[in-house]
Amino acid sequence: MFDERSPIYRQIADTIRSEVLNGTLRANEQVMSTNQYAAFYRINPATAAKAFAELVEEGVLYKQRGRGMFVSPDAREQLRARHRERFFTDVVDPMVERARSLDIPLEQIITRIEHHRDGDRP
């Protein structure tokens, strides 16, 4: 499951974020404990705890004393909002700049996007 490109705790946090985004983990659903994560993936419990702490700090998870960790009620929408903003910053803004450098009118881009929305082939 884990690779060498980023720290394991970050990969765990990213996996949980993805599960929340795609609906595998739902609002107020309990997630595995840090010890369960550590045992299942054969990692140090401190590594799993670091991932969970990051998600709690972000508001994706919340703790219930004596019961465990749960998905925050608004976690999915919160993550979607973050991803939407990143989409514009990482995809749309550079595309518009590239189009400008190629003298492609914005209207032509909009027309192309509308074709995709309507299911037509450009």
Side-chain angles (χ1 to χ4, degrees):
M1 167 173 181
F2 304 114
D3 59 40
E4 301 294 322
R5 69 180 156 74
S6 66
I8 291 173
Y9 82 90
R10 188 155 291 140
Q11 293 178 59
I12 293 168
D14 287 344
T15 298
I16 292 171
R17 285 184 198 101
S18 293
E19 290 174 348
V20 170
L21 269 171
N22 70 27
T24 303
L25 286 173
R26 299 186 193 289
N28 298 307
E29 185 174 338
Q30 188 170 14
V31 297
M32 280 194 281
S33 71
T34 54
N35 289 333
Q36 289 171 321
Y37 241 92
F40 186 81
Y41 291 110
R42 296 181 184 175
I43 59 171
N44 187 318
T47 302
K50 189 171 182 178
F52 281 64
E54 183 175 290
L55 294 167
V56 168
E57 186 175 312
E58 290 175 11
V60 174
L61 298 180
Y62 66 93
K63 297 179 192 179
Q64 277 193 351
R65 188 178 177 125
R67 293 196 58 221
M69 297 276 197
F70 296 82
V71 177
S72 297
D74 65 339
R76 189 172 190 198
E77 190 50 45
Q78 181 187 116
L79 288 168
R80 280 183 171 170
R82 244 187 266 151
H83 281 260
R84 283 184 198 113
E85 184 55 40
R86 204 170 312 138
F87 172 78
F88 285 104
T89 302
D90 295 349
V91 177
V92 176
D93 295 346
M95 178 195 66
V96 170
E97 289 303 314
R98 179 81 171 132
R100 281 188 182 135
S101 73
L102 297 171
D103 291 324
I104 299 172
L106 188 57
E107 293 76 23
Q108 190 173 352
I109 296 170
I110 292 168
T111 300
R112 183 77 166 234
I113 291 169
E114 287 172 341
H115 282 293
H116 283 278
R117 178 194 64 201
D118 298 337
D120 298 336
R121 291 263 182 209

